[in-house]
Amino acid sequence: MIEIRGIRKSFGGLEVIRGVDLEVQQGEVVAILGPSGSGKTTLLRCMNFLEHADAGTMIFDGESFELSRISKRDIAKLRRKTAFVFQNYNLFLNKTALQNVTEGLIVARKMDKSRAAEIAKGALERVGLSDRCDYYPSQLSGGQQQRVAIARALAAEPEIIYFDEPTSALDPELTGEVLAVMRQLAEDGMTMLVVTHEMGFARNVASRVIFMEDGQILETGTAKEFFAHPKEERTRAFLRTVSGE
């Protein structure tokens, strides 16, 4: 579905992404792991044009785009095929759950309000929040707010959803409800690229795991291979650290 080749990104004199190649097939759940500062989030943001890559090529549904000089029109076209779930929800505090989901449909996609509301209610039901349509973010727990953000992503009917550490801002007891929604999306065949520190999710839900360090992909493999037989010493050290050994 999506392929990137030679993607690079620098901030000032610091090269954060150093020639990354990556493919994601339709229906795959790809988990990106790595230590803080390894470039995981920057890679995800470049792929959804929240950051402007300095170099590299993206192939989406067979169409090729040069990332360093991609047009605003092509960015808009590609964003219609994708959705992004942020660490900190990025909800409008003055809008209800339903309004947060319909906003993009009405404003960006010029959809009729009644049709947008119908789609939004279906998306909220899908994440278990059909009874919270009229609640404002301040009336929702962190886990519920993140599920509203996932509903907003689903309402756009994307071909792929990018998740950037979707549980990192949550207390442990709220993490499970968000991961359960993501697990169900995986079972439904949603294509997902997930930056995460949740090893259980990566091990049990991901089709494939990628380990990044210093702006490069150091190792990749199926979840079973990655956790049972990591090839690189740096990967083994990382897994020992996150498992508390």
Side-chain angles (χ1 to χ4, degrees):
M1 175 182 291
I2 186 169
E3 177 181 353
I4 57 172
R5 288 284 177 258
I7 191 169
R8 293 182 177 273
K9 176 63 182 177
S10 296
F11 294 102
L14 178 63
E15 192 172 29
V16 179
I17 303 296
R18 302 163 56 198
V20 167
D21 298 340
L22 174 64
E23 294 181 14
V24 182
Q25 305 296 331
Q26 186 172 358
E28 266 196 314
V29 178
V30 179
I32 304 180
L33 310 181
S36 178
S38 59
K40 308 182 299 295
T41 290
T42 301
L43 175 63
L44 212 62
R45 290 175 65 86
C46 285
M47 290 180 69
N48 202 44
F49 309 103
L50 296 169
E51 299 286 354
H52 188 79
D54 300 322
T57 302
M58 174 182 286
I59 301 171
F60 203 122
D61 288 342
E63 190 173 1
S64 183
F65 304 89
E66 189 65 37
L67 296 179
S68 63
R69 56 175 186 268
I70 189 168
S71 69
K72 290 182 179 179
R73 181 177 180 178
D74 283 337
I75 288 174
K77 179 171 67 174
L78 288 169
R79 279 184 172 165
R80 289 178 69 89
K81 300 181 179 183
T82 69
F84 199 102
V85 176
F86 297 86
Q87 294 181 27
N88 296 308
Y89 330 135
N90 279 26
L91 300 179
F92 294 106
L93 300 182
N94 63 337
K95 295 183 183 295
T96 65
L98 185 67
Q99 290 169 334
N100 266 282
V101 179
T102 60
E103 182 75 8
L105 301 177
I106 295 169
V107 176
R109 304 204 175 191
K110 312 300 181 186
M111 189 178 290
D112 176 80
K113 288 184 179 180
S114 60
R115 175 59 179 155
E118 181 183 346
I119 291 173
K121 287 176 182 177
L124 286 166
E125 182 177 4
R126 195 170 173 186
V127 300
L129 291 175
S130 57
D131 60 342
R132 295 292 190 271
C133 289
D134 296 326
Y135 283 56
Y136 289 89
S138 63
Q139 299 172 301
L140 300 172
S141 70
Q144 289 171 331
Q145 290 183 63
Q146 190 61 294
R147 283 190 281 156
V148 172
I150 295 173
R152 177 177 58 192
L154 290 172
E157 299 181 338
E159 294 182 27
I160 182 171
I161 302 179
Y162 302 115
F163 290 85
D164 181 21
E165 294 279 14
T167 61
S168 65
L170 300 178
D171 294 331
E173 62 269 24
L174 300 177
T175 295
E177 65 188 59
V178 173
L179 293 179
V181 169
M182 295 174 65
R183 188 176 296 110
Q184 184 60 55
L185 293 180
E187 292 175 4
D188 292 343
M190 175 61 69
T191 307
M192 298 188 285
L193 186 58
V194 186
V195 170
T196 185
H197 63 278
E198 296 290 342
M199 295 302 110
F201 176 86
R203 184 192 299 269
N204 299 316
V205 181
S207 319
R208 188 156 46 95
V209 177
I210 287 168
F211 179 68
M212 286 189 68
E213 187 171 62
D214 295 330
Q216 296 179 307
I217 293 177
L218 189 65
E219 185 166 346
T220 184
T222 67
K224 182 177 180 179
E225 292 169 344
F226 182 87
F227 285 100
H229 305 290
K231 298 180 179 65
E232 301 290 336
E233 174 54 36
R234 184 63 191 94
T235 309
R236 292 193 288 271
F238 172 79
L239 293 175
R240 287 196 297 269
T241 299
V242 296
S243 65
E245 296 179 4

